[in-house]
Amino acid sequence: ITVAPPILSRVYQTLSRGLVNLLNVMKIKHTRFPFPWAQLLSSSVLVLTIWTPFLVTAVVKTYWLACFMAFVPVFGMTSLNMVAIELERPFGSDQNDLPLGDFQDSMNNGLLMLLHEQSDMVAHTSPQCKKSFSDLIGEVMKDLVPEDGMLSAGLGMSSPDEPDEACAPSVP
């Protein structure tokens, strides 16, 4: 198969980007949260769950307020622990997991796009394009300095003999 060098380069670039992303995903998957830290957090939540109702009821005499004040911190810490557990496992089929299928489809579409018949169209310049620096400067200076020799055309100023259109009174 004969392929133009820019297209082949793009194929290798897309495959390389896919491999880099795969390696990043593997790093995320294999880097676990430190086990001692997880055990410390779990035991802290357990102690909070056991001791908070006793301490709150000793201080607060209203039963409904004591229940509320014991429930809120225990619920908050347990919720944070559950969120941390969910974030530790980002791959799977839960609603909050990473959409690996979508990532794969995006990469496949990028590779399939390179097979399109117009994907090997090479950009080119028009025949009127000025490629020489001296030609470009000459063209710019020709636009800035008109035939009368005054440096006004490129700066948006009118000559003293002509009224300026921006300052001319408008007719209602």
Side-chain angles (χ1 to χ4, degrees), residues 54-163:
F54 294 119
L55 295 175
V56 170
T57 55
V59 175
V60 179
K61 300 302 178 197
T62 309
Y63 290 117
W64 66 271
L65 187 59
C67 290
F68 179 74
M69 290 180 69
F71 174 75
V72 169
V74 170
F75 178 74
M77 287 300 290
T78 306
S79 298
L80 284 175
N81 194 27
M82 293 297 163
V83 168
I85 290 170
E86 181 65 29
L87 288 176
E88 189 177 5
R89 290 180 262 140
F91 310 114
S93 59
D94 294 346
Q95 187 168 354
N96 291 325
D97 288 338
L98 292 174
L100 296 178
D102 293 342
F103 295 159
Q104 182 66 46
D105 290 342
S106 174
M107 182 177 168
N108 290 346
N109 287 336
L111 288 171
L112 286 174
M113 185 177 59
L114 295 173
L115 295 175
H116 195 271
E117 62 269 357
Q118 291 185 345
S119 65
D120 61 350
M121 303 284 285
V122 179
H124 63 281
T125 58
S126 67
Q128 300 93 286
C129 177
K130 304 288 184 201
K131 296 179 184 174
S132 167
F133 183 72
S134 59
D135 292 345
L136 184 62
I137 291 296
E139 186 73 25
V140 169
M141 292 307 291
K142 185 175 75 172
D143 288 344
L144 286 177
V145 181
E147 291 80 25
D148 61 1
M150 295 183 63
L151 186 64
S152 62
L155 301 176
M157 299 183 296
S158 60
S159 64
D161 299 340
E162 302 174 358

